[in-house]
Amino acid sequence: SQELEQSPQSLIVQEGKNLTINCTSSKTLYGLYWYKQKYGEGLIFLMMLQKGGEEKSHEKITAKLDEKKQQSSLHITASQPSHAGIYLCGAYTGNQFYFGTGTSLTVIP
Amino acid sequence: ETGVTQTPRHLVMGMTNKKSLKCEQHLGHNAMYWYKQSAKKPLELMFVYNFKEQTENNSVPSRFSPECPNSSHLFLHLHTLQPEDSALYLCASSQTSGQTYEQYFGPGTRLTVT
């Protein structure tokens, strides 16, 4: 079983639409990281959440951490083609760092 | 972003070849990582080095041999690989290994084993 499950696995949205990606852990989260990856390239760090209830925003991307639910959500407002790519959550569970299964986002102009 | 560089970007090798992947970070970090990304699988952590010492080896086959001569450079030596080793190999670095430091990634090396 995966330590970090992301949903949905893939997402196709029209430009301008809002969307949410979820990351759920099977274990207690000690900090949650969000990364974006363009196809076949390295990962770009988006933001890190450390405390339950914490919420951070960067441009049109907002992420929240719900420790009680062992879950984080990433919300994109008014999506643009530049938002397309694979979004990955990552977290330490105990001493090991795991990445989520990934969500592939396509934004149709 | 040129904080973490990887060479080569693409590599095709036969199963009997020996090759090396190189990673260099210019961020003054003390921890470096190798990850493997295969199609339709989560990123898999392979090795972790902290202050040049290997601190983690996630049951990686011995045909993958890491080397960290200093905190800025990390190598992955490859020999007698299998076709299933074809993947994107990503290098990352962070301030130190641990829960509070984000990792910065290189662009990856796309490896094809024929």
mmCIF file of all heavy atoms in Angstrom, chain B residues 53-98:
data_model
loop_
_atom_site.group_PDB
_atom_site.id
_atom_site.type_symbol
_atom_site.label_atom_id
_atom_site.label_comp_id
_atom_site.label_asym_id
_atom_site.label_seq_id
_atom_site.Cartn_x
_atom_site.Cartn_y
_atom_site.Cartn_z
ATOM 1 N N GLU B 53 28.317 11.374 4.320
ATOM 2 C CA GLU B 53 28.137 10.022 4.830
ATOM 3 C C GLU B 53 26.802 9.456 4.351
ATOM 4 O O GLU B 53 25.771 10.135 4.434
ATOM 5 C CB GLU B 53 28.162 10.022 6.363
ATOM 6 C CG GLU B 53 29.472 10.474 6.968
ATOM 7 C CD GLU B 53 30.609 9.533 6.643
ATOM 8 O OE1 GLU B 53 30.383 8.298 6.638
ATOM 9 O OE2 GLU B 53 31.733 10.019 6.387
ATOM 10 N N GLN B 54 26.823 8.215 3.873
ATOM 11 C CA GLN B 54 25.575 7.610 3.436
ATOM 12 C C GLN B 54 24.730 7.267 4.649
ATOM 13 O O GLN B 54 25.190 6.541 5.549
ATOM 14 C CB GLN B 54 25.852 6.336 2.627
ATOM 15 C CG GLN B 54 24.598 5.750 1.990
ATOM 16 C CD GLN B 54 24.882 4.505 1.176
ATOM 17 O OE1 GLN B 54 24.304 3.461 1.410
ATOM 18 N NE2 GLN B 54 25.770 4.589 0.217
ATOM 19 N N THR B 55 23.537 7.792 4.688
ATOM 20 C CA THR B 55 22.659 7.565 5.825
ATOM 21 C C THR B 55 21.463 6.693 5.478
ATOM 22 O O THR B 55 20.738 6.261 6.358
ATOM 23 C CB THR B 55 22.139 8.903 6.394
ATOM 24 O OG1 THR B 55 21.467 9.610 5.349
ATOM 25 C CG2 THR B 55 23.281 9.749 6.924
ATOM 26 N N GLU B 56 21.261 6.467 4.205
ATOM 27 C CA GLU B 56 20.120 5.654 3.818
ATOM 28 C C GLU B 56 20.393 4.937 2.496
ATOM 29 O O GLU B 56 20.957 5.511 1.570
ATOM 30 C CB GLU B 56 18.875 6.534 3.655
ATOM 31 C CG GLU B 56 17.576 5.779 3.819
ATOM 32 C CD GLU B 56 16.434 6.705 4.211
ATOM 33 O OE1 GLU B 56 16.667 7.748 4.832
ATOM 34 O OE2 GLU B 56 15.290 6.352 3.882
ATOM 35 N N ASN B 57 20.023 3.671 2.476
ATOM 36 C CA ASN B 57 20.090 2.851 1.266
ATOM 37 C C ASN B 57 18.823 2.023 1.258
ATOM 38 O O ASN B 57 18.678 1.098 2.052
ATOM 39 C CB ASN B 57 21.343 1.973 1.293
ATOM 40 C CG ASN B 57 21.401 1.004 0.113
ATOM 41 O OD1 ASN B 57 20.407 0.723 -0.537
ATOM 42 N ND2 ASN B 57 22.584 0.493 -0.161
ATOM 43 N N ASN B 58 17.904 2.374 0.389
ATOM 44 C CA ASN B 58 16.598 1.723 0.407
ATOM 45 C C ASN B 58 16.597 0.429 -0.376
ATOM 46 O O ASN B 58 15.891 0.292 -1.378
ATOM 47 C CB ASN B 58 15.534 2.683 -0.143
ATOM 48 C CG ASN B 58 14.972 3.558 0.941
ATOM 49 O OD1 ASN B 58 15.324 3.411 2.113
ATOM 50 N ND2 ASN B 58 14.114 4.476 0.588
ATOM 51 N N SER B 59 17.397 -0.518 0.085
ATOM 52 C CA SER B 59 17.421 -1.858 -0.531
ATOM 53 C C SER B 59 17.650 -1.779 -2.029
ATOM 54 O O SER B 59 16.983 -2.463 -2.815
ATOM 55 C CB SER B 59 16.099 -2.593 -0.254
ATOM 56 O OG SER B 59 15.860 -2.674 1.124
ATOM 57 N N VAL B 60 18.579 -0.919 -2.412
ATOM 58 C CA VAL B 60 18.876 -0.738 -3.833
ATOM 59 C C VAL B 60 19.844 -1.838 -4.285
ATOM 60 O O VAL B 60 20.820 -2.131 -3.576
ATOM 61 C CB VAL B 60 19.507 0.644 -4.080
ATOM 62 C CG1 VAL B 60 19.805 0.844 -5.568
ATOM 63 C CG2 VAL B 60 18.579 1.743 -3.579
ATOM 64 N N PRO B 61 19.607 -2.445 -5.456
ATOM 65 C CA PRO B 61 20.517 -3.494 -5.946
ATOM 66 C C PRO B 61 21.947 -2.984 -6.079
ATOM 67 O O PRO B 61 22.175 -1.802 -6.386
ATOM 68 C CB PRO B 61 19.925 -3.858 -7.310
ATOM 69 C CG PRO B 61 18.503 -3.448 -7.239
ATOM 70 C CD PRO B 61 18.459 -2.254 -6.344
ATOM 71 N N SER B 62 22.904 -3.878 -5.904
ATOM 72 C CA SER B 62 24.316 -3.482 -5.904
ATOM 73 C C SER B 62 24.813 -3.021 -7.271
ATOM 74 O O SER B 62 25.918 -2.482 -7.370
ATOM 75 C CB SER B 62 25.181 -4.646 -5.411
ATOM 76 O OG SER B 62 25.001 -5.771 -6.261
ATOM 77 N N ARG B 63 24.025 -3.216 -8.315
ATOM 78 C CA ARG B 63 24.446 -2.706 -9.619
ATOM 79 C C ARG B 63 24.367 -1.170 -9.680
ATOM 80 O O ARG B 63 24.834 -0.557 -10.624
ATOM 81 C CB ARG B 63 23.603 -3.331 -10.740
ATOM 82 C CG ARG B 63 22.103 -3.138 -10.623
ATOM 83 C CD ARG B 63 21.392 -3.935 -11.716
ATOM 84 N NE ARG B 63 19.950 -3.718 -11.711
ATOM 85 C CZ ARG B 63 19.103 -4.490 -11.052
ATOM 86 N NH1 ARG B 63 19.544 -5.506 -10.315
ATOM 87 N NH2 ARG B 63 17.797 -4.231 -11.101
ATOM 88 N N PHE B 64 23.774 -0.567 -8.647
ATOM 89 C CA PHE B 64 23.784 0.884 -8.468
ATOM 90 C C PHE B 64 24.734 1.184 -7.309
ATOM 91 O O PHE B 64 24.510 0.716 -6.189
ATOM 92 C CB PHE B 64 22.397 1.418 -8.118
ATOM 93 C CG PHE B 64 21.388 1.255 -9.212
ATOM 94 C CD1 PHE B 64 20.591 0.126 -9.266
ATOM 95 C CD2 PHE B 64 21.230 2.232 -10.176
ATOM 96 C CE1 PHE B 64 19.662 -0.045 -10.275
ATOM 97 C CE2 PHE B 64 20.291 2.089 -11.194
ATOM 98 C CZ PHE B 64 19.506 0.948 -11.236
ATOM 99 N N SER B 65 25.751 1.992 -7.586
ATOM 100 C CA SER B 65 26.740 2.283 -6.557
ATOM 101 C C SER B 65 26.918 3.785 -6.428
ATOM 102 O O SER B 65 27.427 4.445 -7.339
ATOM 103 C CB SER B 65 28.077 1.620 -6.940
ATOM 104 O OG SER B 65 29.083 1.991 -6.047
ATOM 105 N N PRO B 66 26.508 4.379 -5.300
ATOM 106 C CA PRO B 66 26.641 5.826 -5.154
ATOM 107 C C PRO B 66 28.015 6.214 -4.635
ATOM 108 O O PRO B 66 28.729 5.409 -4.024
ATOM 109 C CB PRO B 66 25.565 6.157 -4.116
ATOM 110 C CG PRO B 66 25.529 4.936 -3.250
ATOM 111 C CD PRO B 66 25.847 3.766 -4.139
ATOM 112 N N GLU B 67 28.370 7.467 -4.898
ATOM 113 C CA GLU B 67 29.631 8.014 -4.386
ATOM 114 C C GLU B 67 29.424 9.485 -4.110
ATOM 115 O O GLU B 67 28.877 10.207 -4.940
ATOM 116 C CB GLU B 67 30.757 7.834 -5.409
ATOM 117 C CG GLU B 67 32.095 8.401 -4.947
ATOM 118 C CD GLU B 67 33.139 8.449 -6.062
ATOM 119 O OE1 GLU B 67 32.822 8.047 -7.201
ATOM 120 O OE2 GLU B 67 34.249 8.928 -5.784
ATOM 121 N N CYS B 68 29.870 9.927 -2.936
ATOM 122 C CA CYS B 68 29.726 11.330 -2.569
ATOM 123 C C CYS B 68 31.081 11.847 -2.081
ATOM 124 O O CYS B 68 31.374 11.772 -0.893
ATOM 125 C CB CYS B 68 28.659 11.488 -1.485
ATOM 126 S SG CYS B 68 28.241 13.191 -1.106
ATOM 127 N N PRO B 69 31.913 12.347 -2.986
ATOM 128 C CA PRO B 69 33.263 12.779 -2.598
ATOM 129 C C PRO B 69 33.281 14.039 -1.735
ATOM 130 O O PRO B 69 34.210 14.246 -0.955
ATOM 131 C CB PRO B 69 33.951 13.023 -3.938
ATOM 132 C CG PRO B 69 32.835 13.315 -4.888
ATOM 133 C CD PRO B 69 31.668 12.507 -4.418
ATOM 134 N N ASN B 70 32.272 14.875 -1.881
ATOM 135 C CA ASN B 70 32.134 16.080 -1.044
ATOM 136 C C ASN B 70 30.672 16.492 -1.037
ATOM 137 O O ASN B 70 29.857 15.917 -1.770
ATOM 138 C CB ASN B 70 33.038 17.214 -1.563
ATOM 139 C CG ASN B 70 32.803 17.517 -3.024
ATOM 140 O OD1 ASN B 70 31.703 17.912 -3.404
ATOM 141 N ND2 ASN B 70 33.830 17.318 -3.852
ATOM 142 N N SER B 71 30.350 17.486 -0.252
ATOM 143 C CA SER B 71 28.933 17.849 -0.080
ATOM 144 C C SER B 71 28.300 18.415 -1.346
ATOM 145 O O SER B 71 27.082 18.511 -1.422
ATOM 146 C CB SER B 71 28.796 18.876 1.050
ATOM 147 O OG SER B 71 29.106 18.281 2.280
ATOM 148 N N SER B 72 29.107 18.789 -2.324
ATOM 149 C CA SER B 72 28.555 19.407 -3.536
ATOM 150 C C SER B 72 28.366 18.435 -4.688
ATOM 151 O O SER B 72 27.697 18.765 -5.661
ATOM 152 C CB SER B 72 29.480 20.536 -4.021
ATOM 153 O OG SER B 72 29.589 21.542 -3.057
ATOM 154 N N HIS B 73 28.970 17.270 -4.594
ATOM 155 C CA HIS B 73 28.947 16.334 -5.720
ATOM 156 C C HIS B 73 28.429 14.970 -5.291
ATOM 157 O O HIS B 73 28.769 14.465 -4.221
ATOM 158 C CB HIS B 73 30.351 16.162 -6.320
ATOM 159 C CG HIS B 73 30.866 17.399 -6.977
ATOM 160 N ND1 HIS B 73 31.535 18.379 -6.276
ATOM 161 C CD2 HIS B 73 30.794 17.829 -8.265
ATOM 162 C CE1 HIS B 73 31.868 19.351 -7.103
ATOM 163 N NE2 HIS B 73 31.433 19.045 -8.323
ATOM 164 N N LEU B 74 27.640 14.382 -6.185
ATOM 165 C CA LEU B 74 27.090 13.058 -5.951
ATOM 166 C C LEU B 74 27.106 12.304 -7.276
ATOM 167 O O LEU B 74 26.731 12.852 -8.314
ATOM 168 C CB LEU B 74 25.651 13.169 -5.418
ATOM 169 C CG LEU B 74 24.943 11.880 -5.021
ATOM 170 C CD1 LEU B 74 25.650 11.227 -3.828
ATOM 171 C CD2 LEU B 74 23.485 12.162 -4.677
ATOM 172 N N PHE B 75 27.566 11.077 -7.214
ATOM 173 C CA PHE B 75 27.621 10.241 -8.414
ATOM 174 C C PHE B 75 26.777 8.987 -8.199
ATOM 175 O O PHE B 75 26.584 8.532 -7.071
ATOM 176 C CB PHE B 75 29.070 9.821 -8.726
ATOM 177 C CG PHE B 75 29.975 10.966 -9.082
ATOM 178 C CD1 PHE B 75 30.673 11.643 -8.087
ATOM 179 C CD2 PHE B 75 30.134 11.361 -10.394
ATOM 180 C CE1 PHE B 75 31.518 12.699 -8.403
ATOM 181 C CE2 PHE B 75 30.973 12.414 -10.719
ATOM 182 C CZ PHE B 75 31.664 13.085 -9.719
ATOM 183 N N LEU B 76 26.308 8.444 -9.306
ATOM 184 C CA LEU B 76 25.655 7.138 -9.276
ATOM 185 C C LEU B 76 26.312 6.297 -10.353
ATOM 186 O O LEU B 76 26.157 6.559 -11.547
ATOM 187 C CB LEU B 76 24.149 7.267 -9.518
ATOM 188 C CG LEU B 76 23.326 6.000 -9.339
ATOM 189 C CD1 LEU B 76 23.408 5.514 -7.878
ATOM 190 C CD2 LEU B 76 21.868 6.222 -9.724
ATOM 191 N N HIS B 77 27.091 5.313 -9.915
ATOM 192 C CA HIS B 77 27.799 4.439 -10.851
ATOM 193 C C HIS B 77 26.902 3.262 -11.207
ATOM 194 O O HIS B 77 26.291 2.637 -10.323
ATOM 195 C CB HIS B 77 29.106 3.947 -10.222
ATOM 196 C CG HIS B 77 30.018 5.056 -9.801
ATOM 197 N ND1 HIS B 77 30.521 5.993 -10.686
ATOM 198 C CD2 HIS B 77 30.501 5.395 -8.569
ATOM 199 C CE1 HIS B 77 31.278 6.850 -10.033
ATOM 200 N NE2 HIS B 77 31.283 6.519 -8.748
ATOM 201 N N LEU B 78 26.830 2.989 -12.496
ATOM 202 C CA LEU B 78 25.912 1.977 -13.011
ATOM 203 C C LEU B 78 26.694 0.862 -13.712
ATOM 204 O O LEU B 78 27.591 1.144 -14.508
ATOM 205 C CB LEU B 78 24.953 2.611 -14.024
ATOM 206 C CG LEU B 78 24.340 3.968 -13.650
ATOM 207 C CD1 LEU B 78 23.619 4.561 -14.848
ATOM 208 C CD2 LEU B 78 23.421 3.822 -12.462
ATOM 209 N N HIS B 79 26.350 -0.394 -13.424
ATOM 210 C CA HIS B 79 26.985 -1.496 -14.160
ATOM 211 C C HIS B 79 26.054 -2.698 -14.201
ATOM 212 O O HIS B 79 25.341 -2.985 -13.246
ATOM 213 C CB HIS B 79 28.336 -1.863 -13.535
ATOM 214 C CG HIS B 79 28.236 -2.378 -12.138
ATOM 215 N ND1 HIS B 79 28.239 -3.723 -11.824
ATOM 216 C CD2 HIS B 79 28.137 -1.733 -10.958
ATOM 217 C CE1 HIS B 79 28.149 -3.868 -10.512
ATOM 218 N NE2 HIS B 79 28.089 -2.683 -9.968
ATOM 219 N N THR B 80 26.100 -3.375 -15.326
ATOM 220 C CA THR B 80 25.256 -4.554 -15.611
ATOM 221 C C THR B 80 23.796 -4.297 -15.239
ATOM 222 O O THR B 80 23.178 -5.044 -14.466
ATOM 223 C CB THR B 80 25.774 -5.819 -14.896
ATOM 224 O OG1 THR B 80 25.818 -5.595 -13.481
ATOM 225 C CG2 THR B 80 27.139 -6.183 -15.418
ATOM 226 N N LEU B 81 23.261 -3.206 -15.781
ATOM 227 C CA LEU B 81 21.865 -2.867 -15.490
ATOM 228 C C LEU B 81 20.913 -3.747 -16.286
ATOM 229 O O LEU B 81 21.307 -4.414 -17.253
ATOM 230 C CB LEU B 81 21.601 -1.396 -15.821
ATOM 231 C CG LEU B 81 22.320 -0.365 -14.962
ATOM 232 C CD1 LEU B 81 21.756 1.016 -15.232
ATOM 233 C CD2 LEU B 81 22.232 -0.690 -13.481
ATOM 234 N N GLN B 82 19.665 -3.731 -15.867
ATOM 235 C CA GLN B 82 18.598 -4.478 -16.514
ATOM 236 C C GLN B 82 17.647 -3.508 -17.215
ATOM 237 O O GLN B 82 17.558 -2.337 -16.822
ATOM 238 C CB GLN B 82 17.820 -5.279 -15.463
ATOM 239 C CG GLN B 82 18.691 -6.198 -14.620
ATOM 240 C CD GLN B 82 19.367 -7.255 -15.461
ATOM 241 O OE1 GLN B 82 18.715 -7.914 -16.265
ATOM 242 N NE2 GLN B 82 20.670 -7.420 -15.302
ATOM 243 N N PRO B 83 16.908 -3.977 -18.208
ATOM 244 C CA PRO B 83 15.959 -3.081 -18.894
ATOM 245 C C PRO B 83 14.976 -2.410 -17.938
ATOM 246 O O PRO B 83 14.597 -1.261 -18.167
ATOM 247 C CB PRO B 83 15.252 -4.026 -19.876
ATOM 248 C CG PRO B 83 16.268 -5.065 -20.183
ATOM 249 C CD PRO B 83 17.004 -5.284 -18.894
ATOM 250 N N GLU B 84 14.601 -3.084 -16.861
ATOM 251 C CA GLU B 84 13.651 -2.491 -15.912
ATOM 252 C C GLU B 84 14.265 -1.353 -15.100
ATOM 253 O O GLU B 84 13.563 -0.661 -14.351
ATOM 254 C CB GLU B 84 13.077 -3.549 -14.952
ATOM 255 C CG GLU B 84 14.108 -4.254 -14.103
ATOM 256 C CD GLU B 84 14.541 -5.590 -14.696
ATOM 257 O OE1 GLU B 84 14.508 -5.727 -15.942
ATOM 258 O OE2 GLU B 84 14.914 -6.480 -13.913
ATOM 259 N N ASP B 85 15.561 -1.134 -15.269
ATOM 260 C CA ASP B 85 16.209 0.005 -14.604
ATOM 261 C C ASP B 85 16.037 1.286 -15.399
ATOM 262 O O ASP B 85 16.420 2.372 -14.940
ATOM 263 C CB ASP B 85 17.699 -0.270 -14.395
ATOM 264 C CG ASP B 85 17.947 -1.432 -13.460
ATOM 265 O OD1 ASP B 85 17.192 -1.566 -12.463
ATOM 266 O OD2 ASP B 85 18.884 -2.217 -13.710
ATOM 267 N N SER B 86 15.480 1.179 -16.584
ATOM 268 C CA SER B 86 15.204 2.372 -17.393
ATOM 269 C C SER B 86 14.225 3.259 -16.640
ATOM 270 O O SER B 86 13.161 2.799 -16.209
ATOM 271 C CB SER B 86 14.605 1.973 -18.744
ATOM 272 O OG SER B 86 15.516 1.185 -19.476
ATOM 273 N N ALA B 87 14.597 4.518 -16.465
ATOM 274 C CA ALA B 87 13.771 5.438 -15.665
ATOM 275 C C ALA B 87 14.390 6.820 -15.717
ATOM 276 O O ALA B 87 15.447 7.031 -16.309
ATOM 277 C CB ALA B 87 13.691 4.960 -14.207
ATOM 278 N N LEU B 88 13.724 7.756 -15.060
ATOM 279 C CA LEU B 88 14.290 9.087 -14.852
ATOM 280 C C LEU B 88 14.955 9.080 -13.474
ATOM 281 O O LEU B 88 14.314 8.740 -12.480
ATOM 282 C CB LEU B 88 13.187 10.148 -14.903
ATOM 283 C CG LEU B 88 13.619 11.601 -14.730
ATOM 284 C CD1 LEU B 88 14.450 12.070 -15.927
ATOM 285 C CD2 LEU B 88 12.403 12.513 -14.549
ATOM 286 N N TYR B 89 16.235 9.410 -13.433
ATOM 287 C CA TYR B 89 16.962 9.429 -12.163
ATOM 288 C C TYR B 89 17.152 10.887 -11.755
ATOM 289 O O TYR B 89 17.746 11.684 -12.480
ATOM 290 C CB TYR B 89 18.300 8.694 -12.289
ATOM 291 C CG TYR B 89 18.078 7.206 -12.383
ATOM 292 C CD1 TYR B 89 17.792 6.604 -13.610
ATOM 293 C CD2 TYR B 89 18.081 6.407 -11.239
ATOM 294 C CE1 TYR B 89 17.535 5.243 -13.695
ATOM 295 C CE2 TYR B 89 17.824 5.047 -11.317
ATOM 296 C CZ TYR B 89 17.547 4.482 -12.551
ATOM 297 O OH TYR B 89 17.283 3.125 -12.629
ATOM 298 N N LEU B 90 16.621 11.183 -10.588
ATOM 299 C CA LEU B 90 16.635 12.556 -10.093
ATOM 300 C C LEU B 90 17.559 12.678 -8.897
ATOM 301 O O LEU B 90 17.566 11.831 -8.007
ATOM 302 C CB LEU B 90 15.221 12.972 -9.676
ATOM 303 C CG LEU B 90 14.218 13.144 -10.819
ATOM 304 C CD1 LEU B 90 12.799 13.140 -10.288
ATOM 305 C CD2 LEU B 90 14.492 14.447 -11.563
ATOM 306 N N CYS B 91 18.306 13.761 -8.892
ATOM 307 C CA CYS B 91 19.159 14.097 -7.766
ATOM 308 C C CYS B 91 18.526 15.280 -7.038
ATOM 309 O O CYS B 91 17.875 16.138 -7.663
ATOM 310 C CB CYS B 91 20.545 14.473 -8.290
ATOM 311 S SG CYS B 91 21.659 15.176 -7.059
ATOM 312 N N ALA B 92 18.674 15.327 -5.742
ATOM 313 C CA ALA B 92 18.156 16.446 -4.957
ATOM 314 C C ALA B 92 19.145 16.793 -3.855
ATOM 315 O O ALA B 92 20.012 15.982 -3.497
ATOM 316 C CB ALA B 92 16.799 16.096 -4.351
ATOM 317 N N SER B 93 19.008 18.002 -3.327
ATOM 318 C CA SER B 93 19.821 18.388 -2.177
ATOM 319 C C SER B 93 18.956 19.177 -1.199
ATOM 320 O O SER B 93 17.912 19.720 -1.572
ATOM 321 C CB SER B 93 21.027 19.242 -2.611
ATOM 322 O OG SER B 93 20.621 20.532 -3.033
ATOM 323 N N SER B 94 19.387 19.200 0.055
ATOM 324 C CA SER B 94 18.716 20.005 1.072
ATOM 325 C C SER B 94 19.757 20.464 2.078
ATOM 326 O O SER B 94 20.880 19.958 2.107
ATOM 327 C CB SER B 94 17.600 19.221 1.761
ATOM 328 O OG SER B 94 18.112 18.125 2.483
ATOM 329 N N GLN B 95 19.353 21.409 2.935
ATOM 330 C CA GLN B 95 20.282 21.966 3.907
ATOM 331 C C GLN B 95 20.968 20.848 4.692
ATOM 332 O O GLN B 95 22.179 20.761 4.760
ATOM 333 C CB GLN B 95 19.525 22.907 4.852
ATOM 334 C CG GLN B 95 20.438 23.696 5.786
ATOM 335 C CD GLN B 95 21.355 24.623 5.021
ATOM 336 O OE1 GLN B 95 20.963 25.282 4.071
ATOM 337 N NE2 GLN B 95 22.612 24.662 5.426
ATOM 338 N N THR B 96 20.185 20.010 5.319
ATOM 339 C CA THR B 96 20.641 18.736 5.844
ATOM 340 C C THR B 96 19.487 17.776 5.646
ATOM 341 O O THR B 96 18.407 18.184 5.236
ATOM 342 C CB THR B 96 20.999 18.779 7.357
ATOM 343 O OG1 THR B 96 19.812 19.072 8.094
ATOM 344 C CG2 THR B 96 22.052 19.811 7.668
ATOM 345 N N SER B 97 19.697 16.507 5.911
ATOM 346 C CA SER B 97 18.570 15.588 5.814
ATOM 347 C C SER B 97 17.745 15.761 7.084
ATOM 348 O O SER B 97 18.279 16.018 8.152
ATOM 349 C CB SER B 97 19.065 14.142 5.686
ATOM 350 O OG SER B 97 19.809 13.767 6.808
ATOM 351 N N GLY B 98 16.455 15.665 6.966
ATOM 352 C CA GLY B 98 15.615 15.875 8.137
ATOM 353 C C GLY B 98 14.274 16.433 7.739
ATOM 354 O O GLY B 98 14.020 16.739 6.575
#
